[in-house]
Amino acid sequence: QVQLVESGGGSVQAGGSLRLSCVASGYMNTRMCLGWFRQAPGKGREAIAALNRGGESTYYADSVKGRFTISQDNSKNTLYLQMDSLKPEDTSMYYCAADRHRWCGTDWYGERRYDYWGQGTQVTVSS
């Protein structure tokens, strides 16, 4: 079992920044894919970024590339999402997720591969 707890959401004006954190606990495999998703009301869940636990490869959706940065601190078992140049369309509930069985790859964006999910943290961007 892996437990994921997000924090850092809030309200910000367009152009502002936020940093989300996701603290992981439980059984952490060496090979894991850790990702961030978001879901706006009435819309499907969107994969926005992922990385390999302990590795260097990162993956981004086109909608956030160049504005968001995913990173990790393995000493703290914490995943981060630095969000800059926020836009009103970034308003969503943000979730972190973990695939405990394998590295990220070309299918990093597929939500069905992720076994564990956090409860979410709300991000609201006003114009």
Side-chain angles (χ1 to χ4, degrees), residues 16-78:
S17 298
L18 284 173
R19 189 177 79 157
L20 306 184
S21 300
C22 173
V23 178
S25 60
Y27 183 71
M28 303 291 285
N29 275 343
T30 303
R31 289 178 177 261
M32 291 182 69
C33 178
L34 304 174
W36 285 99
F37 288 73
R38 66 185 181 187
Q39 186 169 21
K43 295 188 177 182
R45 194 170 291 184
E46 176 190 12
I48 54 175
L51 54 69
N52 291 327
R53 180 175 182 261
E56 297 182 357
S57 298
T58 57
Y59 306 81
Y60 294 96
D62 289 343
S63 58
V64 305
K65 199 173 294 182
R67 299 189 299 122
F68 291 10
T69 303
I70 189 171
S71 62
Q72 60 186 320
D73 183 338
N74 285 332
S75 68
K76 298 179 180 179
N77 275 343
T78 301

Side-chain angles (χ1 to χ4, degrees), residues 1 7 10 12 33 38 42 47 50 53 59-60 63 65 67 75-76 82-83 100 102-103 114-115 125:
Q1 289 285 341
S7 62
V12 65
C33 178
R38 66 185 181 187
R53 180 175 182 261
Y59 306 81
Y60 294 96
S63 58
K65 199 173 294 182
R67 299 189 299 122
S75 68
K76 298 179 180 179
Q82 177 67 40
M83 305 186 296
R100 205 181 68 179
R102 57 191 174 101
W103 293 124
Y114 292 88
D115 309 291
V125 184

Side-chain angles (χ1 to χ4, degrees), residues 89-100:
E89 52 263 43
D90 294 318
T91 295
S92 280
M93 185 71 79
Y94 282 72
Y95 300 90
C96 66
D99 175 349
R100 205 181 68 179

